[in-house]
Amino acid sequence: MSEQPHAEHAASGPHVNYLMIFGALCLLTIMSWVADEVGKQMGGTAHASADAHAPAVAHEPAAATGGFNWKILIGGIVLAIACTKATFVLLYFMHVKFEGKWIWAMLLPTLILALAIPAALTPDVALHYYTVETPQADEYANQQSRPEHHPDSPSNTAEGADGKVPQEKHPVTPEHPAKPAEGKHP
Amino acid sequence: MTHGHGVSTLKMGVPIPNAKLGMWLFLGTEIMFFTAFIGTYIVVRLGSPGWPTDTHVTHINILAGAINTFVLICSSVSVVLAHEAVHQGYFTKAKNLMILTLVLACVFLGIKSFEYYGKFQHDILPGHVPESNQQVLDKMVRELDVATGLTALRQRQVSVANELAKETNEERKPRLKAELDVVNTNVSGISKKLETPEFNDLRRKALAGTIKLDDAAKALEKLQHDHPEFKVVHEIHKPILYGNLFASTYFLMTGFHALHVIIGMGFFTHIIMLGNAGRLGFEHGTLVENYGLYWHFVDLVWIFLFPLIYII
Amino acid sequence: MSTHAPADTAHAHDDHDSHGHAAHDSHGHGHELSFFQKYVFSTDHKVIGIQFLITTLLMLMVGGALALGVRWQLAYRFSTMPIVGQLVFANEGGQISPEFYTMLFTMHATVMIFLVIIPILAGAFGNFLIPLMIGADDMAFPTLNMLSYWFMWPAIFFFGLSFFVEGGASSGGWTNYPPLSAIRAAAPGSQDGQTLWLIGVTFIGVSSMMGSVNYMTTIINMRAPGMTLFRMPMTIWAMFITAILQAFALPVLTAAGFMILADRTIGTCFFIPGGLTVNNTPTTVGGGQALLWQHLFWFYSHPAVYIMLLPAMGMVSDMLSCFSRKPLFGYKPMVYSIAAIAGLGFIVWGHHMFISGMNPALGMTFMISTMMIALPSAVKTFNWLGTMWGGNIQFTTPMINSIAFVSMFVVGGLSGIFMAAVPVDIYIHDTYFIVAHFHYVLFGATLFGCFGAIHYWFPKMWGRMMNETAGKIHFVISFIAFNFTFFPMHFLGAAGMPRRLADPYNYPYLEHLLPLNQFMTWSAIVMGFAQFILLANFFLSIKYGKRVGRNPWNANGLEWTAPSPPGHGNFDILPVVYRGPYEYATPNLDVDYFPQTQYVPVEQRVNVAHGH
Ligand code: HEM
Ligand SMILES: [Cu+2]
């Protein structure tokens, strides 16, 4: 095979400075990492509970952070960054920018459908219009709220032997809040 | 299969080769495929009261994720440069860039398997994560029983008893009965042998749920120190609320992504083999472009997986 | 002013001859093909189409047999089945057990939907017709095409195998709702049979996905010169839009299938709620959502019901226009309404979940969108009527089947609107009313459309005609028996008889329905056996049918300019298209049809314009 650049073919194909795109993508990746670190500093909500013992319980969103929800902000920022990166890859690496209109006729409906799925699932699966029964969450909150749980506490002596989990329904109420995050920050 | 790279002017349609159009349409279906996984992850996570986000619990390594993102971006660049090289007629360069891409894909998988390894080590696997104190203890007991061989014996006990009940041939019954006796004695034998006070105490209390997790962890550690056969029992960690759902989504999303990476490596190998055979030529422009498109899509999926899994 | 006979015009463009051959030779293997390459692992779209057709016809009989099992139980519950009973259910004394009943209806639906309706439309007719009707020599990706056929066989194998594994075949219904389908202990059929079911459906999914990418590429990029989008026959439009539906809806089901497979095998918990105890198994841990499956499933399966209808709509449009000897009434509205059906089809899936505990806000939305989808459906119906209106109708077998299609679709579509209304659906959901609805659209419409299409394009496949008399006998028996079988189901539904119940008469309020059910069963048996007429007619006509030339129906489409049967590469010369496919009964022509390839010299066109 000839190793000479072929005049005819050399002309074809768009000229993109791929290294610049590469730089931009790297920069954006670093930015999302930085955003994450910032999130951790500001109330540690990007990782809501550095303490393994008490994951955030969504019954009380942002309870530990005093109102402002950093978690959502950081989440929004990193997703926006991801979308920007995806746009770069699509436009330049995948040459969408240099294709004809047909590519949009194909991409746009796909993207709309792709967004529609989570959107349509949200009212049903993500938000519960009914009362969710989450035995494990309730039990968890219940157990964590009694750190000095007595070794002989009868409520915990259910027939665990055959793998059954005791199923008490202790709603997470203000009296029984999930234990807030404590110490152990990285 | 592909009707060439040139576009027949005698056909109606869009001015691109069939193969490329087909690849784009295929990528459309792929978008929907991953949308189902990612969409499920998003709604399931939003809908769960609680989600493990602490990296010490989930054994998710943000740095590893970021490095992997970087690796995939590099590979995307190298594959697009390879495509350009084919167009310009630098076929050796194209082949070398393909080798580079293949290596980067391997690096990606390497880092990924390192992460998976961490999860397997700590048993953060779907269906294995205890979500309450009692489940932690139950799991420990289950694993203790596996370690002592009790579980296997019990299963044997049940299956032999079942066989005996079903057996209609009178002549074969005595043999089964004898086997059942052996198994029965073995079961009690095992409990005898293991009736060290510590073990019995731990197992009984764990079953009854009358021991604190910290104490159980200490007792287990001691047991493992005295009897190395208990090393297979996983260390005790705190219950992880919604850890199973987390592990489910994590493994399925990254698993299918990794599968796509592996398929992409097959594509690159194809080009490299063509290059080695000296057959890589202008006519492979579309092929290299298609493989490239596929690979960019794999990169694209990761671009979304990275913040969704590692950061948020 | 008159033009020459259409059959000759196909040869009129010598300047394109060379291209025709070029296209032909570019395959490079036109000469010595072994038997295997030619008839088994063929990459020729026509062979693949016929392979699909024969496979699906055989599967139709299998699915029909399963359905007769279901009907037997509903008429003569727990009584020994004649002939087959002692062979199949020997250890139950020749009876159908309730567990086996659930397997029967599950596998009946599975076979009919995944192995008959979808592959006969897209696989058989899509493959056979697309290249011929757009003037291409083959599909864009012939090898992929071959694979898409052969991926059907693992599915057939796994579905078949599932009857013989422990616990038997899947019994979760074709909708496969968890937890029944996700927890192995839930039912006998929830064991390995369920896993095999999921694997089989995944294979069908991959097969359809390969097919749809292929069809889309072919239709977009391989049309003959002059075949603009709005000169494409309705069949092609329908196939195109079906392929789009399939390409974008199916991956979601495939992904959901992988999730439920993982739930069953590796312990994930996407669809299994926490704290659930089923049949004394350990309580589940996790916290997935069973409703999620329903959403993902119907996100595919509602578009899928249109995948099971649109191609038939397209083919019927072609047949109606041809045998009414009239242009299709409102070609563009037809195209737009198919597109609208497809578009709306993506946002109505929730009408299957009104009673599932779905968010009521969604119920409202889905109710409205579902009602809206009836509009384009109605547009199409009126256009079909408009096509026939005042036409010079020829009551051939394809035509009467097409008319049956239209009328049965009206019945099924109207019951659809009933069920779309939430308050009504609360009462009739999961009753026989639903069963009546979908059999009217799937059997009454789609399958009769397919019967028509088989008779219509048979001469193109084999160069021979199917027997008209046999075709009409088959039609009359099937049509009457079909209505006797399925129309009473509306009444059953109104009387509150639930579907998927092995012994409804256990409940006193349903006892009086037994005689009606027995009548329906006998109708179903007649209908089932009538299909042997079709099979016999089909297979015998391959050998003994009357020989015909290229264009036995005097139709306009490109496929009729190719030889019958077309050779490798389809056209002896590359066709060039000058007009749409529905110019029947054009004034000032000697004949009442005007093939798409027919060129009219300028002088003649001037004459026509001046009305000479
Ligand atoms: C006029 C258009 C249509 C409307 C408004 C409509 C509406 C509906 C509704 C609301 C249901 C759910 C009923 C329930 O489960 O309670 C349903 C079920 C069904 N429809 Fe339709 N439909 C239409 C056309 C079709 C067509 C054309 C097909 C197939 C070719 C079809 C196939 C089915 C099937 C298979 C089911 C039952 C699925 C199951 O539960 O197993 N429908 N339809
Ligand atoms: Cu529907």
Side-chain angles (χ1 to χ4, degrees), chain B residues 230-247:
Chain B
F230 287 125
K231 282 263 155 52
V232 290
V233 179
H234 287 100
E235 56 163 351
I236 283 196
H237 58 70
K238 298 281 175 196
I240 306 173
L241 194 51
Y242 284 93
N244 288 301
L245 205 50
F246 160 78

Side-chain angles (χ1 to χ4, degrees), chain B residues 18-199:
Chain B
N18 289 343
K20 186 172 162 189
L21 181 63
M23 176 52 89
W24 266 109
L25 291 169
F26 169 69
L27 291 185
T29 70
E30 287 278 73
I31 292 179
M32 295 309 287
F33 183 74
F34 276 100
T35 298
F37 284 120
I38 296 178
T40 298
Y41 167 70
I42 293 175
V43 291
V44 151
R45 174 157 178 193
L46 288 175
S48 300
W51 196 262
T53 43
D54 177 16
T55 46
H56 294 98
V57 171
T58 56
H59 296 280
I60 276 210
N61 190 335
I62 299 186
L63 192 63
I67 294 178
N68 255 351
T69 314
F70 176 72
V71 169
L72 275 193
I73 292 174
C74 291
S75 70
S76 253
V77 175
S78 63
V79 88
V80 82
L81 290 178
H83 171 218
E84 203 177 52
V86 170
H87 262 293
Q88 293 168 346
Y90 298 112
F91 300 117
T92 317
K93 183 178 161 198
K95 192 194 88 183
N96 289 339
L97 280 164
M98 275 296 175
I99 294 177
L100 176 63
T101 320
L102 186 66
V103 170
L104 288 168
C106 290
V107 172
F108 177 88
L109 282 187
I111 296 180
K112 194 83 242 164
S113 34
F114 166 73
E115 278 186 54
Y116 274 15
Y117 178 72
K119 298 224 168 35
F120 275 89
Q121 278 266 295
H122 297 95
D123 213 25
I124 310 285
L125 300 177
H128 290 215
V129 185
E131 301 197 16
S132 70
N133 288 357
Q134 186 56 48
Q135 287 176 7
V136 174
L137 296 173
D138 285 347
K139 179 180 169 187
M140 181 189 72
V141 172
R142 264 201 313 276
E143 292 183 346
L144 284 174
D145 287 352
V146 170
T148 57
L150 195 62
T151 311
L153 273 176
R154 286 232 169 107
Q155 279 167 356
R156 186 83 198 115
Q157 210 175 6
V158 171
S159 69
V160 175
N162 277 345
E163 240 173 275
L164 190 61
K166 270 194 219 148
E167 186 59 69
T168 44
N169 185 347
E170 285 297 329
E171 281 171 24
R172 293 181 55 197
K173 276 190 177 169
R175 198 183 54 78
L176 284 171
K177 275 200 188 109
E179 194 181 345
L180 192 58
D181 285 343
V182 174
V183 178
N184 284 342
T185 24
N186 278 353
V187 169
S188 39
I190 275 199
S191 357
K192 284 269 153 42
K193 189 180 123 209
L194 289 166
E195 256 170 30
T196 64
E198 298 93 357
F199 173 83

